[in-house]
Amino acid sequence: MKAFVNKDTCIACETCPAVCPEVFSMDDDGLAVAITDDIPSDLEDSAVEARDSCPVDAIDIKE
Ligand code: F3S
């Protein structure tokens, strides 16, 4: 599983790093970024929760 943040859509609400800080962080540009290439299986639920919590649907998670 991999996570991607669409920086054109992210409004920097900082929800995703709050929900799943192991996978998402805020970048130097103030927008979210996925910091893991492959999401470890024990973090998948948390990463999906972060995606579902994004108010603007800026996060994609792919198998
Ligand atoms: Fe941006 Fe959505 Fe995260 S707005 S900071 S990608 S929860």
Side-chain angles (χ1 to χ4, degrees):
M1 243 182 193
K2 293 178 193 285
F4 304 88
V5 175
N6 183 343
K7 294 202 172 207
D8 292 333
T9 308
C10 174
I11 57 169
C13 75
E14 301 191 16
T15 299
C16 53
V19 172
C20 186
E22 298 89 347
V23 174
F24 300 99
S25 177
M26 301 310 287
D27 212 346
D28 290 342
D29 56 12
L31 300 172
V33 64
I35 52 174
T36 55
D37 242 5
D38 269 315
I39 301 170
S41 54
D42 60 329
L43 292 175
E44 286 181 356
D45 286 352
S46 173
V48 167
E49 185 185 342
R51 178 199 65 193
D52 293 347
S53 300
C54 177
V56 291
D57 287 337
I59 298 171
D60 260 347
I61 293 181
K62 296 182 178 156
E63 294 299 326

